[in-house]
Amino acid sequence: MIIIKLVSGAQMGQIDRYTIEELGIDGVVLMEQAGRRVTEEILAEYSALEKVVVLAGKGNNGGDGFIISRLLEQEGIAVQTFLVGNKDEITGDAWVNLEILERLDDQVTEVTTAADVENLPSDLKQADLIVDAMLGTGIKGKLRGLFPNIIDLVNEVNTEVTAVDIPSGVEADSGIVREMAVQAQQTVTFALPKLGLLLYPGAKFVGQLKVVDIGIPKQAIAQQEIETNLITADLATKLLPLRDDDSHKGNYGKLLLVAGSTGMTGAAVLTARASLKMGAGLVTVGIPSSVNPILETKLTEAMTYPLAETRDGSLDVGAIEQVEKLMSSRDVLAIGPGLTTTGEVTTVVNKLLTKIEEPVVVDADGLNVIDDLEILKEREAATILTPHPGEMSRLLEQPIKEIEVNRVAVAREFAVEYGVILVLKGSRTVIATPTGEVYINYSGNSALATGGSGDVLTGLITSLVGQDLAPVDASIIAVYLHGLAAEIGSEELTKYSLVPSDLIDYLPQAIKAIEN
Ligand SMILES: NC(=O)C1=CN([C@@H]2O[C@H](COP(=O)(O)OP(=O)(O)OC[C@H]3O[C@@H](n4cnc5c(N)ncnc54)[C@H](O)[C@@H]3O)[C@@H](O)[C@H]2O)[C@H](O)CC1
Ligand SMILES: [K+]
């Protein structure tokens, strides 16, 4: 599948409603399929189950749980079903399934008091598997009642857990976990992955994720406008530009990278090397003149251009005209890595953002010195901003925490408001476009959490924009490959020892993995 849509809990609810009310597929039928699919996944994963505990909540997630209890019993497995709540509070499709279970004489034990909770641990410990069907997409706000205690118990015992749809405690829209959530080894989710299963911190609780079809027709999904997509290997493959044998360097972009300063030449080197390794045609690094000799020795294929500098070795306003002149024969500009924020850098960056008519990628210090976001709106060519949450926090003058818990919304709103491609870095990098489309990246690992990995990403994006890719497509491939190179590289080097220059060395293997 090339594009995988990611849904919020509310969108999934709408799709359900449409399927049931407009298409006339009964909710009980959907629930039956849901329960059956989870049961199949459980049986496929665990071959020798003897005892299973199903923990059910009062909503439809619990309804799925009742079906799973019934189907596992039919397989000859001893199932204990606990309902967190009173039976007389159960309604609708969940009630239908509770009734069936009772008619079959399969016991459902109510857990309604602290004393009931105290009785749970021995059963939880003795079980081969716990099925978490307490809270699904319907969770709202802080965990209430007995849930915090029960979730604690589930997490304390050693028994493996399969979560139904989403681990209880994780919010489907955001991945927010208010105080705690069930730590699952496996999560079986219905129809489409929920955002909260991919975004942190929720993602930590999911274990292995399986997305199963429960018979929701694709028309019901199509009728929802879903603008949030998962970046898959297939999508990266589809977007990767082909290289024609009958081509020359002019076909692959002329890049100008304005980066580096005294003490930070490494940033310029990483950006340049990454852009070359991604296939750029011609790369020029514009760098404060006194550090130019360093770049000359560190870079072989890239050209360098000494730019006007102040006494402290950072850019001087004289660089504005030099960059403008260079850009008259270049296709794309990247500005920011290792520039520092001192002296005249602010003026240089802000002036260039208004003057340069080619696509611009702004990163690191380039982002830190933007003094008026309005200039972004004025730009006609594409602007790609690649902040990490700290830089985003500065751009928006909002606490990092608010950005972290709201990555998708923050990125989308910013991209739409300022007409830019926003690449909000972090585990699960979010790419947002001026039209409000969002792409979430799943590749990568903690090896990327080190100074310099952002410089590599900037090089990759700039390189692909130079190769004439649409800025959003360039960002998608770059972010995906960057993460994949980290995954491949850390297999050999470990997540501790993989450094950004290694990322560049592993890029060819990442490209190979997605090449057709
Ligand atoms: N996606 C599908 O096509 C299908 C999904 N199914 C399952 O249905 C749930 C969603 O069911 P819903 O009834 O809307 O909500 P929940 O069961 O998740 O929870 C409602 C239940 O929980 C209580 N509650 C809510 N928040 C809290 C809280 N913070 N603390 C304590 N209690 C809370 C609330 O009062 C209700 O009692 C979906 O995930 C799927 O598993 C269908 O089975 C098939 C189709
Ligand atoms: K659940």
Side-chain angles (χ1 to χ4, degrees), residues 55 61-62 131-137 162-169 182 187:
L55 299 173
N61 198 245
V131 175
D132 163 28
M134 292 185 282
L135 298 164
T137 54
T162 294
V164 177
D165 208 20
I166 187 161
S168 297
V182 168
T187 296

Side-chain angles (χ1 to χ4, degrees), residues 360-378:
V360 178
V361 182
V362 193
D363 183 28
D365 289 331
L367 295 167
N368 288 330
V369 299
I370 297 180
D371 56 13
D372 177 12
L373 291 173
E374 294 298 310
I375 59 176
L376 300 171
K377 292 186 185 169
E378 313 284 307

